[in-house]
Amino acid sequence: MASNGIRDRVAIVGMGCTPFGEHWDKGVNDLLVDATKEALASAGVELRDIDAFWLGTLFSGQSGLTLSRPLKIDYKPVSRLENYCATGSEAFRNACYAVASGAYDVAMAIGVEKLKDSGVSGLPNIGAAGDGTKAPLTAPAMFSLLAPAYAKKFGVDDATLKEVMTRIAWKNHKNGALNPRAQFRKEVPKDTIACSPLVAGPLGIFDCSGVSDGSAAAIIVRAEDARRYTDKPLYVKALSFIAGPAAGPIDPDYDYTTFPEVVASAVDAYAQAGIKDPRAELAMAEVHDCFTPTELVLMEDLGFAARGTGWKEVLAGTFDLDGELAVNPDGGLKSFGHPIGASGLRMLFEAWLQLRGEAGKRQIASVARGRKLALTHNLGGAPGECVSFVGVVGSEPSA
Amino acid sequence: MRGIVAYGTYVPYFRLDRKAIAAALGAPSGSGTRAVASYDEDTTSLGVEAARAALRAAPGLKPEALYFATAMPAYLDKTNATAIHAALGLEASTAAYDMGGAVRSAAGAVRAALQGGGPTLVVLSDIRTGLPGGGDEREGGDGAAALLVAEDSPELPALAEPVAHASATAEFLERWRLPGDPASRQWEERFGEHVYVPLGEAAVTDALKRAGVTAPAINHWIIAGPHARAGKRLAASVGATKGTVADDLGAVIGNTGTAHAGLLLANALDTAPSDQLIAVVSLADGCDVTIWRTTAAIAARRPAASLAQQLAGGGQVSYPTFLTWRGFLRREPPRRPDPQAPEAPPAARAEAWKFAFTGSRCMACGARHLPPQRVCVKCHAVDRMAPERLADVPATIATFTVDRLAYSLSPPVVAAVIDFEGGGRFQCELTDVDPVAVKIGDRVEMTFRRLLTAGGVHNYFWKARPLRGGK
């Protein structure tokens, strides 16, 4: 048994990403067509050049017909899949494996979500009530369970923890302000964030990611074919996907200050990519900042900060756009928005722009200094019961 | 001889200050407080809590029948006693019946238990309210009492034995409610007094005669019934020695209707010495009188929390919140999907878990699982589980949240991850709790609640609440 990875066997040669936000005038079909058009143009191919498709969506459709119908795909394989909020990364991962296996020459991974049509605050419910014994907590409440547990374990007082959470939201809004595709494109003062109405536990409305509509897509080919499409492909270095046993809510040994699934997927991904010191080797990381305490804990789980020190690193600006390791340079789920099925591919889209030097005002300086790797991290579920994806892409094949 | 071998009471955590009604409506509303069932309680859940207290006092005793009496049944057509039966983890061979609809059902349930065979659990429960500003709203109270009736035995001696019983029955329209109506109606108060007092006097006279005693021999008179004025008149006319008529707890709890005679009897048993005569007079559509004699065993098996101890705790509920809980004030819900009804087959499959809070223990490594699992989370052993009920095991808060977005009849939802003494973890709602006072490390205990009603289905399950007084 081994996780061997497919390092440098496939490459991304084109990407597309719609603006995320409240698309009152666009349906799921429009978003899929928009993202596909941009991705195809980016790779310089036509729809008929794509051999197989992987569509990720949680709420916005079932079956491959959700994609083949609006695009009028002529009798090609289209898989629809779902893995909670990591759905977009899962579509990408499966498309990569299909190309790496030799089964297809060109594949497209696309994610989409249309959340704003539901009319509810937050996410719709998933699944039936069953026996009615599951606590009816919303997503912010589930993730807010991290806050008191982290504060208690590492001796951080409530006010300091709130300051840390606020700074994460402030940073991601600041980054998003530089991003024309982001849902929220303006900086938000720390006072406004800290004093926003409470949603769950210490989480205010500004500690939560944006509920939005959007779609993003990637075209994947074999690495040796990549330069036929673009001078600047991104090579897939690592793809790790981990489902935990969902033990947290039933096992007293879980302490709500870490995601063991993230730790496992990071270890696996770093091994696949040959990364020893992620903080020193990565140019950037897009991480699943669904709520501000999530980003804090992820800094430790992904090995960007030592256990119990993430909060200090956040306050020190380590993960700012001009910090030692830029985290969520595109604004993250927080300000770019979180259309579930699209988010994993949106993270890759920022890696695509940054590593190719096309991120404009957000361009990370370390890329010019020679850093060539970007990480995307995508999470689905809740603390103690989640799935985690960690992927690494790079602008050069390994020597 | 059959007698009461154990008993338990339950008064909900919340109290409504009657002055709050006056302040809101500008009408006189008297003084004191009334007990208020929380938004997540109904007569079934109140009954479960009282019955748990009674059964805890007589461990090992297996009731052969359960009689549940209430004037406010959570369901019609469907038996409510079966939910209580399930929540107590009773065996399938234990029968469970509702004696529903009328306050007088309580007297009938006690009488049937005394005349029946085998240990019988009598559960009396009520939620009393009326239209805003009315006397029933003001004077009513919510609560439950449970009496475990069984043959006196050396292992489980009776705490109190019936000495005599008498009834008087008549048909008259004094208090009534159509099914589905939110409040009862009552004829002119003086008419009730006119019909009740002679019926009460007749039944009391009969009972004293059958007991072979005169009124001054009675140590405690308990006079209960929805018609307060008739009760007071009767108390004055039965020949009670001064100071022997028990406090009706109207100033603190209010009149708990179907539960009230049982609740007052339990209150007397909480402190009575042995060899005392207690006359329980219940005025409801006639009169039922039982004269009890406490035994030498009375002090042996009192419940962990006396009624007085329960009344010492408790939190205040505002009048608007009270009106909301009782359905008289419809408030704007959060912009969230409608709550979903539990589905019958999954609920039936999960009966032991959902109703009795029975998890599983791995026989290979001892790890506890809530809900029960087939594969052990610790050692991964497959299908080596034994059921284990954790309803009476205290727990400690590992982490918590206050969810201001989730749907609730009484937002915010407070929830916690709790770790049980001796192992096992569960994530559940907290209730009877001040959201700003919750801390990691707080101790909690489980309580049976109606989480919500959706699509005409009541969703019963367990929540945790701060550890209450008592042992």
Side-chain angles (χ1 to χ4, degrees), chain A residues 146 150 154 254-267 270 278 287 293-308 310 375 377 379 383-384 386 388 390:
Chain A
L146 297 167
Y150 185 96
F154 299 117
Y254 175 62
D255 71 1
Y256 285 86
T257 66
T258 176
F259 300 96
E261 297 85 349
V262 175
V263 173
S265 54
V267 166
Y270 296 152
V287 308
T294 318
E295 181 165 324
L296 167 61
V297 167
L298 289 175
M299 295 304 94
E300 300 178 9
D301 285 346
L302 292 168
F304 302 165
R307 195 57 73 187
L375 174 145
H377 165 262
L379 183 84
C386 69
S388 171
V390 174

mmCIF file of all heavy atoms in Angstrom, chain A residues 146 150 154 254-267 270 278 287 293-308 310 375 377 379 383-384 386 388 390:
data_model
loop_
_atom_site.group_PDB
_atom_site.id
_atom_site.type_symbol
_atom_site.label_atom_id
_atom_site.label_comp_id
_atom_site.label_asym_id
_atom_site.label_seq_id
_atom_site.Cartn_x
_atom_site.Cartn_y
_atom_site.Cartn_z
ATOM 1 N N LEU A 146 -13.931 25.306 17.208
ATOM 2 C CA LEU A 146 -12.469 25.376 17.281
ATOM 3 C C LEU A 146 -12.001 26.477 18.223
ATOM 4 O O LEU A 146 -10.958 26.350 18.878
ATOM 5 C CB LEU A 146 -11.881 25.673 15.885
ATOM 6 C CG LEU A 146 -12.104 24.646 14.764
ATOM 7 C CD1 LEU A 146 -11.721 25.281 13.426
ATOM 8 C CD2 LEU A 146 -11.289 23.386 15.020
ATOM 9 N N TYR A 150 -9.174 25.994 21.023
ATOM 10 C CA TYR A 150 -7.821 26.472 20.708
ATOM 11 C C TYR A 150 -7.344 27.438 21.788
ATOM 12 O O TYR A 150 -6.210 27.355 22.279
ATOM 13 C CB TYR A 150 -7.826 27.145 19.326
ATOM 14 C CG TYR A 150 -6.443 27.572 18.854
ATOM 15 C CD1 TYR A 150 -5.693 26.762 18.005
ATOM 16 C CD2 TYR A 150 -5.894 28.791 19.250
ATOM 17 C CE1 TYR A 150 -4.428 27.138 17.565
ATOM 18 C CE2 TYR A 150 -4.637 29.192 18.821
ATOM 19 C CZ TYR A 150 -3.901 28.364 17.981
ATOM 20 O OH TYR A 150 -2.657 28.753 17.558
ATOM 21 N N PHE A 154 -4.014 26.592 24.180
ATOM 22 C CA PHE A 154 -2.758 27.316 24.004
ATOM 23 C C PHE A 154 -2.692 28.591 24.849
ATOM 24 O O PHE A 154 -1.809 29.429 24.647
ATOM 25 C CB PHE A 154 -2.523 27.608 22.519
ATOM 26 C CG PHE A 154 -2.413 26.346 21.702
ATOM 27 C CD1 PHE A 154 -3.331 26.053 20.713
ATOM 28 C CD2 PHE A 154 -1.393 25.423 21.959
ATOM 29 C CE1 PHE A 154 -3.234 24.878 19.987
ATOM 30 C CE2 PHE A 154 -1.296 24.249 21.232
ATOM 31 C CZ PHE A 154 -2.221 23.962 20.244
ATOM 32 N N TYR A 254 -10.193 13.524 20.603
ATOM 33 C CA TYR A 254 -10.085 14.634 19.647
ATOM 34 C C TYR A 254 -10.312 15.938 20.409
ATOM 35 O O TYR A 254 -11.255 16.052 21.188
ATOM 36 C CB TYR A 254 -11.120 14.476 18.532
ATOM 37 C CG TYR A 254 -11.130 15.654 17.583
ATOM 38 C CD1 TYR A 254 -10.002 15.971 16.826
ATOM 39 C CD2 TYR A 254 -12.246 16.475 17.465
ATOM 40 C CE1 TYR A 254 -10.001 17.063 15.979
ATOM 41 C CE2 TYR A 254 -12.258 17.568 16.613
ATOM 42 C CZ TYR A 254 -11.127 17.863 15.874
ATOM 43 O OH TYR A 254 -11.118 18.948 15.049
ATOM 44 N N ASP A 255 -9.434 16.946 20.174
ATOM 45 C CA ASP A 255 -9.525 18.139 21.026
ATOM 46 C C ASP A 255 -9.967 19.424 20.310
ATOM 47 O O ASP A 255 -9.900 20.505 20.889
ATOM 48 C CB ASP A 255 -8.193 18.368 21.766
ATOM 49 C CG ASP A 255 -7.078 18.838 20.833
ATOM 50 O OD1 ASP A 255 -7.331 19.008 19.624
ATOM 51 O OD2 ASP A 255 -5.951 19.040 21.326
ATOM 52 N N TYR A 256 -10.406 19.321 19.081
ATOM 53 C CA TYR A 256 -10.954 20.486 18.368
ATOM 54 C C TYR A 256 -9.940 21.618 18.189
ATOM 55 O O TYR A 256 -10.311 22.782 18.138
ATOM 56 C CB TYR A 256 -12.241 21.009 19.036
ATOM 57 C CG TYR A 256 -13.434 20.123 18.749
ATOM 58 C CD1 TYR A 256 -13.697 19.007 19.547
ATOM 59 C CD2 TYR A 256 -14.275 20.357 17.668
ATOM 60 C CE1 TYR A 256 -14.771 18.158 19.282
ATOM 61 C CE2 TYR A 256 -15.346 19.526 17.386
ATOM 62 C CZ TYR A 256 -15.597 18.440 18.199
ATOM 63 O OH TYR A 256 -16.642 17.604 17.922
ATOM 64 N N THR A 257 -8.644 21.270 18.086
ATOM 65 C CA THR A 257 -7.659 22.307 17.777
ATOM 66 C C THR A 257 -6.881 21.954 16.517
ATOM 67 O O THR A 257 -5.872 22.584 16.206
ATOM 68 C CB THR A 257 -6.643 22.497 18.924
ATOM 69 O OG1 THR A 257 -5.862 21.301 19.045
ATOM 70 C CG2 THR A 257 -7.331 22.789 20.236
ATOM 71 N N THR A 258 -7.317 20.934 15.796
ATOM 72 C CA THR A 258 -6.611 20.479 14.597
ATOM 73 C C THR A 258 -7.582 19.712 13.723
ATOM 74 O O THR A 258 -8.631 19.270 14.184
ATOM 75 C CB THR A 258 -5.416 19.576 14.998
ATOM 76 O OG1 THR A 258 -4.798 19.058 13.820
ATOM 77 C CG2 THR A 258 -5.862 18.403 15.857
ATOM 78 N N PHE A 259 -7.212 19.584 12.436
ATOM 79 C CA PHE A 259 -7.938 18.688 11.531
ATOM 80 C C PHE A 259 -6.976 17.549 11.204
ATOM 81 O O PHE A 259 -6.087 17.711 10.366
ATOM 82 C CB PHE A 259 -8.311 19.401 10.230
ATOM 83 C CG PHE A 259 -9.187 20.610 10.387
ATOM 84 C CD1 PHE A 259 -8.630 21.889 10.431
ATOM 85 C CD2 PHE A 259 -10.567 20.493 10.461
ATOM 86 C CE1 PHE A 259 -9.426 23.016 10.549
ATOM 87 C CE2 PHE A 259 -11.379 21.630 10.581
ATOM 88 C CZ PHE A 259 -10.807 22.894 10.623
ATOM 89 N N PRO A 260 -7.125 16.383 11.828
ATOM 90 C CA PRO A 260 -6.198 15.282 11.539
ATOM 91 C C PRO A 260 -6.200 14.919 10.053
ATOM 92 O O PRO A 260 -5.159 14.496 9.515
ATOM 93 C CB PRO A 260 -6.751 14.124 12.383
ATOM 94 C CG PRO A 260 -7.583 14.775 13.444
ATOM 95 C CD PRO A 260 -8.112 16.044 12.865
ATOM 96 N N GLU A 261 -7.337 15.113 9.393
ATOM 97 C CA GLU A 261 -7.426 14.806 7.955
ATOM 98 C C GLU A 261 -6.507 15.731 7.154
ATOM 99 O O GLU A 261 -5.915 15.324 6.152
ATOM 100 C CB GLU A 261 -8.874 14.978 7.480
ATOM 101 C CG GLU A 261 -9.878 14.017 8.153
ATOM 102 C CD GLU A 261 -10.420 14.527 9.495
ATOM 103 O OE1 GLU A 261 -9.877 15.521 10.040
ATOM 104 O OE2 GLU A 261 -11.386 13.933 9.995
ATOM 105 N N VAL A 262 -6.403 17.001 7.605
ATOM 106 C CA VAL A 262 -5.542 17.962 6.905
ATOM 107 C C VAL A 262 -4.077 17.596 7.123
ATOM 108 O O VAL A 262 -3.275 17.603 6.188
ATOM 109 C CB VAL A 262 -5.827 19.399 7.391
ATOM 110 C CG1 VAL A 262 -4.836 20.379 6.756
ATOM 111 C CG2 VAL A 262 -7.265 19.802 7.069
ATOM 112 N N VAL A 263 -3.760 17.250 8.353
ATOM 113 C CA VAL A 263 -2.383 16.856 8.651
ATOM 114 C C VAL A 263 -1.988 15.680 7.764
ATOM 115 O O VAL A 263 -0.914 15.676 7.141
ATOM 116 C CB VAL A 263 -2.238 16.487 10.149
ATOM 117 C CG1 VAL A 263 -0.848 15.919 10.428
ATOM 118 C CG2 VAL A 263 -2.521 17.710 11.018
ATOM 119 N N ALA A 264 -2.876 14.689 7.664
ATOM 120 C CA ALA A 264 -2.575 13.494 6.867
ATOM 121 C C ALA A 264 -2.439 13.835 5.389
ATOM 122 O O ALA A 264 -1.518 13.343 4.710
ATOM 123 C CB ALA A 264 -3.670 12.441 7.071
ATOM 124 N N SER A 265 -3.319 14.692 4.875
ATOM 125 C CA SER A 265 -3.241 15.009 3.441
ATOM 126 C C SER A 265 -2.022 15.883 3.159
ATOM 127 O O SER A 265 -1.422 15.789 2.083
ATOM 128 C CB SER A 265 -4.535 15.661 2.942
ATOM 129 O OG SER A 265 -4.867 16.789 3.714
ATOM 130 N N ALA A 266 -1.621 16.716 4.100
ATOM 131 C CA ALA A 266 -0.426 17.546 3.903
ATOM 132 C C ALA A 266 0.829 16.674 3.876
ATOM 133 O O ALA A 266 1.689 16.824 2.994
ATOM 134 C CB ALA A 266 -0.322 18.591 5.019
ATOM 135 N N VAL A 267 0.912 15.747 4.811
ATOM 136 C CA VAL A 267 2.077 14.848 4.853
ATOM 137 C C VAL A 267 2.185 14.085 3.533
ATOM 138 O O VAL A 267 3.261 13.980 2.928
ATOM 139 C CB VAL A 267 1.947 13.874 6.050
ATOM 140 C CG1 VAL A 267 2.949 12.728 5.931
ATOM 141 C CG2 VAL A 267 2.123 14.630 7.365
ATOM 142 N N TYR A 270 3.134 16.528 0.606
ATOM 143 C CA TYR A 270 4.542 16.958 0.659
ATOM 144 C C TYR A 270 5.461 15.818 0.236
ATOM 145 O O TYR A 270 6.478 16.037 -0.439
ATOM 146 C CB TYR A 270 4.907 17.469 2.053
ATOM 147 C CG TYR A 270 4.154 18.724 2.467
ATOM 148 C CD1 TYR A 270 3.895 19.012 3.803
ATOM 149 C CD2 TYR A 270 3.706 19.629 1.505
ATOM 150 C CE1 TYR A 270 3.206 20.158 4.176
ATOM 151 C CE2 TYR A 270 3.010 20.772 1.860
ATOM 152 C CZ TYR A 270 2.756 21.026 3.199
ATOM 153 O OH TYR A 270 2.066 22.158 3.550
ATOM 154 N N PRO A 278 7.607 23.423 3.801
ATOM 155 C CA PRO A 278 6.621 24.123 2.963
ATOM 156 C C PRO A 278 6.703 25.643 3.091
ATOM 157 O O PRO A 278 6.571 26.348 2.098
ATOM 158 C CB PRO A 278 5.275 23.592 3.475
ATOM 159 C CG PRO A 278 5.554 22.939 4.782
ATOM 160 C CD PRO A 278 6.979 22.473 4.729
ATOM 161 N N VAL A 287 -5.803 28.389 1.025
ATOM 162 C CA VAL A 287 -6.314 27.430 2.009
ATOM 163 C C VAL A 287 -7.796 27.677 2.263
ATOM 164 O O VAL A 287 -8.318 28.744 1.951
ATOM 165 C CB VAL A 287 -5.527 27.495 3.337
ATOM 166 C CG1 VAL A 287 -4.035 27.370 3.084
ATOM 167 C CG2 VAL A 287 -5.853 28.762 4.119
ATOM 168 N N PRO A 293 -11.353 30.968 12.257
ATOM 169 C CA PRO A 293 -10.593 30.011 13.075
ATOM 170 C C PRO A 293 -10.066 28.844 12.244
ATOM 171 O O PRO A 293 -9.060 28.228 12.601
ATOM 172 C CB PRO A 293 -11.617 29.520 14.108
ATOM 173 C CG PRO A 293 -12.708 30.523 14.109
ATOM 174 C CD PRO A 293 -12.753 31.090 12.720
ATOM 175 N N THR A 294 -10.753 28.532 11.125
ATOM 176 C CA THR A 294 -10.274 27.448 10.265
ATOM 177 C C THR A 294 -8.905 27.806 9.712
ATOM 178 O O THR A 294 -7.975 26.992 9.748
ATOM 179 C CB THR A 294 -11.260 27.212 9.102
ATOM 180 O OG1 THR A 294 -12.596 27.280 9.585
ATOM 181 C CG2 THR A 294 -11.005 25.874 8.453
ATOM 182 N N GLU A 295 -8.763 29.036 9.182
ATOM 183 C CA GLU A 295 -7.467 29.421 8.614
ATOM 184 C C GLU A 295 -6.370 29.376 9.676
ATOM 185 O O GLU A 295 -5.257 28.918 9.422
ATOM 186 C CB GLU A 295 -7.528 30.813 7.966
ATOM 187 C CG GLU A 295 -6.181 31.204 7.356
ATOM 188 C CD GLU A 295 -6.230 32.393 6.386
ATOM 189 O OE1 GLU A 295 -7.224 32.525 5.658
ATOM 190 O OE2 GLU A 295 -5.261 33.181 6.378
ATOM 191 N N LEU A 296 -6.705 29.817 10.887
ATOM 192 C CA LEU A 296 -5.718 29.778 11.973
ATOM 193 C C LEU A 296 -5.206 28.353 12.194
ATOM 194 O O LEU A 296 -3.996 28.098 12.220
ATOM 195 C CB LEU A 296 -6.352 30.323 13.267
ATOM 196 C CG LEU A 296 -5.578 30.063 14.564
ATOM 197 C CD1 LEU A 296 -4.203 30.718 14.514
ATOM 198 C CD2 LEU A 296 -6.375 30.549 15.770
ATOM 199 N N VAL A 297 -6.137 27.409 12.346
ATOM 200 C CA VAL A 297 -5.750 26.026 12.624
ATOM 201 C C VAL A 297 -5.004 25.421 11.430
ATOM 202 O O VAL A 297 -4.050 24.649 11.592
ATOM 203 C CB VAL A 297 -7.008 25.206 12.997
ATOM 204 C CG1 VAL A 297 -6.721 23.720 12.978
ATOM 205 C CG2 VAL A 297 -7.525 25.640 14.368
ATOM 206 N N LEU A 298 -5.418 25.803 10.217
ATOM 207 C CA LEU A 298 -4.766 25.259 9.015
ATOM 208 C C LEU A 298 -3.297 25.654 8.944
ATOM 209 O O LEU A 298 -2.471 24.894 8.438
ATOM 210 C CB LEU A 298 -5.505 25.735 7.760
ATOM 211 C CG LEU A 298 -6.892 25.130 7.527
ATOM 212 C CD1 LEU A 298 -7.573 25.775 6.329
ATOM 213 C CD2 LEU A 298 -6.788 23.618 7.318
ATOM 214 N N MET A 299 -2.964 26.855 9.425
ATOM 215 C CA MET A 299 -1.563 27.285 9.382
ATOM 216 C C MET A 299 -0.680 26.283 10.122
ATOM 217 O O MET A 299 0.468 26.029 9.729
ATOM 218 C CB MET A 299 -1.407 28.685 9.993
ATOM 219 C CG MET A 299 -2.119 29.805 9.230
ATOM 220 S SD MET A 299 -1.648 29.951 7.482
ATOM 221 C CE MET A 299 -2.892 28.975 6.668
ATOM 222 N N GLU A 300 -1.217 25.694 11.184
ATOM 223 C CA GLU A 300 -0.449 24.705 11.944
ATOM 224 C C GLU A 300 -0.542 23.323 11.298
ATOM 225 O O GLU A 300 0.459 22.614 11.198
ATOM 226 C CB GLU A 300 -0.947 24.685 13.390
ATOM 227 C CG GLU A 300 -0.772 26.054 14.058
ATOM 228 C CD GLU A 300 -1.284 26.118 15.498
ATOM 229 O OE1 GLU A 300 -1.620 25.065 16.062
ATOM 230 O OE2 GLU A 300 -1.331 27.239 16.046
ATOM 231 N N ASP A 301 -1.754 22.954 10.855
ATOM 232 C CA ASP A 301 -1.936 21.617 10.273
ATOM 233 C C ASP A 301 -1.140 21.445 8.982
ATOM 234 O O ASP A 301 -0.683 20.345 8.657
ATOM 235 C CB ASP A 301 -3.420 21.363 9.992
ATOM 236 C CG ASP A 301 -4.205 21.083 11.264
ATOM 237 O OD1 ASP A 301 -3.573 20.830 12.309
ATOM 238 O OD2 ASP A 301 -5.450 21.111 11.213
ATOM 239 N N LEU A 302 -0.992 22.537 8.208
ATOM 240 C CA LEU A 302 -0.262 22.449 6.939
ATOM 241 C C LEU A 302 1.239 22.627 7.143
ATOM 242 O O LEU A 302 2.011 22.601 6.186
ATOM 243 C CB LEU A 302 -0.793 23.506 5.959
ATOM 244 C CG LEU A 302 -2.227 23.275 5.456
ATOM 245 C CD1 LEU A 302 -2.754 24.513 4.744
ATOM 246 C CD2 LEU A 302 -2.301 22.056 4.541
ATOM 247 N N GLY A 303 1.657 22.830 8.387
ATOM 248 C CA GLY A 303 3.081 22.946 8.684
ATOM 249 C C GLY A 303 3.660 24.316 8.380
ATOM 250 O O GLY A 303 4.865 24.468 8.238
ATOM 251 N N PHE A 304 2.814 25.342 8.289
ATOM 252 C CA PHE A 304 3.311 26.701 8.050
ATOM 253 C C PHE A 304 3.737 27.371 9.358
ATOM 254 O O PHE A 304 4.440 28.369 9.353
ATOM 255 C CB PHE A 304 2.243 27.580 7.383
ATOM 256 C CG PHE A 304 1.725 27.060 6.065
ATOM 257 C CD1 PHE A 304 0.571 27.577 5.513
ATOM 258 C CD2 PHE A 304 2.414 26.064 5.367
ATOM 259 C CE1 PHE A 304 0.087 27.115 4.299
ATOM 260 C CE2 PHE A 304 1.930 25.595 4.141
ATOM 261 C CZ PHE A 304 0.761 26.120 3.613
ATOM 262 N N ALA A 305 3.226 26.857 10.476
ATOM 263 C CA ALA A 305 3.568 27.397 11.788
ATOM 264 C C ALA A 305 3.631 26.239 12.766
ATOM 265 O O ALA A 305 2.915 25.245 12.596
ATOM 266 C CB ALA A 305 2.504 28.401 12.246
ATOM 267 N N ALA A 306 4.488 26.351 13.763
ATOM 268 C CA ALA A 306 4.584 25.290 14.765
ATOM 269 C C ALA A 306 3.280 25.252 15.570
ATOM 270 O O ALA A 306 2.583 26.256 15.714
ATOM 271 C CB ALA A 306 5.766 25.553 15.695
ATOM 272 N N ARG A 307 2.969 24.070 16.095
ATOM 273 C CA ARG A 307 1.740 23.863 16.859
ATOM 274 C C ARG A 307 1.644 24.880 18.004
ATOM 275 O O ARG A 307 2.600 25.070 18.767
ATOM 276 C CB ARG A 307 1.769 22.432 17.402
ATOM 277 C CG ARG A 307 0.478 21.887 17.911
ATOM 278 C CD ARG A 307 -0.650 21.892 16.918
ATOM 279 N NE ARG A 307 -0.551 20.912 15.853
ATOM 280 C CZ ARG A 307 -1.393 20.864 14.802
ATOM 281 N NH1 ARG A 307 -2.372 21.748 14.686
ATOM 282 N NH2 ARG A 307 -1.245 19.967 13.860
ATOM 283 N N GLY A 308 0.518 25.552 18.073
ATOM 284 C CA GLY A 308 0.294 26.516 19.161
ATOM 285 C C GLY A 308 0.861 27.898 18.892
ATOM 286 O O GLY A 308 0.715 28.800 19.717
ATOM 287 N N GLY A 310 0.478 29.431 15.629
ATOM 288 C CA GLY A 310 -0.168 30.011 14.454
ATOM 289 C C GLY A 310 -0.724 31.400 14.739
ATOM 290 O O GLY A 310 -0.618 32.312 13.916
ATOM 291 N N LEU A 375 0.449 25.838 -3.262
ATOM 292 C CA LEU A 375 -0.360 24.804 -2.614
ATOM 293 C C LEU A 375 -1.820 25.244 -2.608
ATOM 294 O O LEU A 375 -2.112 26.420 -2.399
ATOM 295 C CB LEU A 375 0.138 24.592 -1.180
ATOM 296 C CG LEU A 375 -0.648 23.639 -0.263
ATOM 297 C CD1 LEU A 375 0.313 22.892 0.673
ATOM 298 C CD2 LEU A 375 -1.719 24.360 0.563
ATOM 299 N N HIS A 377 -5.425 24.066 -0.672
ATOM 300 C CA HIS A 377 -6.010 23.200 0.356
ATOM 301 C C HIS A 377 -7.508 23.425 0.414
ATOM 302 O O HIS A 377 -7.985 24.545 0.551
ATOM 303 C CB HIS A 377 -5.411 23.478 1.744
ATOM 304 C CG HIS A 377 -6.264 22.869 2.802
ATOM 305 N ND1 HIS A 377 -7.194 23.587 3.513
ATOM 306 C CD2 HIS A 377 -6.401 21.577 3.187
ATOM 307 C CE1 HIS A 377 -7.855 22.763 4.308
ATOM 308 N NE2 HIS A 377 -7.395 21.560 4.132
ATOM 309 N N LEU A 379 -11.281 21.843 2.033
ATOM 310 C CA LEU A 379 -11.799 21.045 3.158
ATOM 311 C C LEU A 379 -13.311 20.885 3.025
ATOM 312 O O LEU A 379 -13.985 21.826 2.609
ATOM 313 C CB LEU A 379 -11.482 21.809 4.442
ATOM 314 C CG LEU A 379 -11.829 21.221 5.791
ATOM 315 C CD1 LEU A 379 -10.711 20.275 6.227
ATOM 316 C CD2 LEU A 379 -11.960 22.322 6.834
ATOM 317 N N PRO A 383 -15.003 20.280 11.827
ATOM 318 C CA PRO A 383 -13.917 19.793 12.682
ATOM 319 C C PRO A 383 -14.239 18.404 13.258
ATOM 320 O O PRO A 383 -15.320 18.189 13.800
ATOM 321 C CB PRO A 383 -13.858 20.841 13.799
ATOM 322 C CG PRO A 383 -14.382 22.087 13.171
ATOM 323 C CD PRO A 383 -15.440 21.629 12.199
ATOM 324 N N GLY A 384 -13.305 17.501 13.105
ATOM 325 C CA GLY A 384 -13.495 16.165 13.651
ATOM 326 C C GLY A 384 -14.181 15.203 12.709
ATOM 327 O O GLY A 384 -14.213 14.000 12.944
ATOM 328 N N CYS A 386 -14.213 15.390 8.671
ATOM 329 C CA CYS A 386 -14.080 16.087 7.394
ATOM 330 C C CYS A 386 -13.287 15.298 6.367
ATOM 331 O O CYS A 386 -12.689 14.266 6.651
ATOM 332 C CB CYS A 386 -13.458 17.461 7.613
ATOM 333 S SG CYS A 386 -11.747 17.424 8.103
ATOM 334 N N SER A 388 -10.301 16.196 3.362
ATOM 335 C CA SER A 388 -9.315 17.239 3.105
ATOM 336 C C SER A 388 -8.541 16.939 1.840
ATOM 337 O O SER A 388 -8.119 15.808 1.608
ATOM 338 C CB SER A 388 -8.351 17.351 4.288
ATOM 339 O OG SER A 388 -7.268 18.208 3.946
ATOM 340 N N VAL A 390 -5.160 18.312 -0.353
ATOM 341 C CA VAL A 390 -3.999 19.186 -0.496
ATOM 342 C C VAL A 390 -3.364 18.885 -1.851
ATOM 343 O O VAL A 390 -3.069 17.724 -2.163
ATOM 344 C CB VAL A 390 -2.963 18.983 0.619
ATOM 345 C CG1 VAL A 390 -1.702 19.806 0.331
ATOM 346 C CG2 VAL A 390 -3.541 19.395 1.972
#
